[in-house]
Amino acid sequence: TVQNTLGVTGIHPVPPAYVKGQIEAVMDDIRPKAVKIGMINDAEIVRVIAESILKYHPEYVVFEPFMVSTNGCMLKEVSLITLNLSEAEIQAGQKISTVEDMKQQAKEMLKLGCKGVLIKGGHLDGGLMCDVLQTATEEAPHLFTAPKVNSRNTHGTGCTLSSAIATFLALGEPMSVAVKKAKQYVYKGIESGKDVCIGGGHGPLNHFHSPVAMHIFDKNE
């Protein structure tokens, strides 16, 4: 990408065959337990990645940002898909403005075949953030709430969260614990980087804060 704190101005796609080679080189040698899929802008690369997942069957697959047409596409190999409110609204075809709306949509998206759905409520009105995690094996959702941090340095928070979740899953944490610990890490990163001035737009969160997690999140409901 060609980008800075003000936005993305260009994208240079990597040839699908090269992406396939990159995946095979890592999977044939290192065999990671967890895989995180980020933004993909080419249908052929989507196919290559999907074929690779079916070939190697990594133990955990986290998919973010999740954008897929509502055409019955099944995602049985995916451990967790993550969406912000805007993405969830596109999937739902309607406005999502409450935690109850998020709960309902998370359950609806399990029908795509994935094992878990995390809808991030950072843009809900009010002073609290609330994320909803719904897994296929549990009836009740997990809610994660924390006070909002007033910061413009939020560039990369979604990618960081999903990568952190994948990391904690690879370390053997259950899904709800992996999400909670990842959210603690991201929250601390936003808080510790809120006063840093980088560029004229949205700077990054601070990934290099103390590893001691802040126990600010409510118990799972």
Side-chain angles (χ1 to χ4, degrees), residues 7 30 41 67 83 94 117 123 125 129 134 146 167 186 220:
I30 303 171
N41 74 320
M67 293 295 292
L83 312 87
Q94 61 186 15
V117 177
H123 293 97
D125 292 335
M129 298 180 298
Q134 180 68 60
T167 300
V186 171
N220 296 337

Side-chain angles (χ1 to χ4, degrees), residues 32 41 58 68 89 93 96 103 119 130 153 175 177 179 182 192 204 210:
N41 74 320
V68 64
E89 287 175 346
I96 296 177
K103 291 180 182 179
I119 299 182
C130 183
N153 295 331
M175 180 62 72
V177 177
V179 172
S192 62
S210 168

Side-chain angles (χ1 to χ4, degrees), residues 68-74 91 112:
V68 64
S69 61
T70 53
N71 61 357
C73 177
M74 303 301 286
Q91 295 297 319
L112 292 172

Side-chain angles (χ1 to χ4, degrees), residues 165-180:
I165 293 171
T167 300
F168 283 117
L169 288 173
L171 290 172
E173 298 288 7
M175 180 62 72
S176 61
V177 177
V179 172
K180 180 176 182 177

Side-chain angles (χ1 to χ4, degrees), residues 185 188 208-214:
Y185 170 73
K188 182 63 175 177
F208 304 107
H209 60 78
S210 168
V212 178
M214 293 178 60

Side-chain angles (χ1 to χ4, degrees), residues 3 10-11 19 26 51 55 72 74 130 158 185 200 202 207:
Q3 64 174 305
I11 299 174
V19 173
V26 174
E51 289 176 351
K55 176 181 179 180
M74 303 301 286
C130 183
Y185 170 73
H202 295 281
H207 294 87

Side-chain angles (χ1 to χ4, degrees), residues 21-40:
Q22 288 178 313
I23 296 173
E24 290 178 344
V26 174
M27 298 303 291
D28 287 339
D29 179 25
I30 303 171
R31 299 304 297 263
K33 292 178 64 175
V35 171
K36 179 251 178 173
I37 303 173
M39 183 175 289
I40 311 166

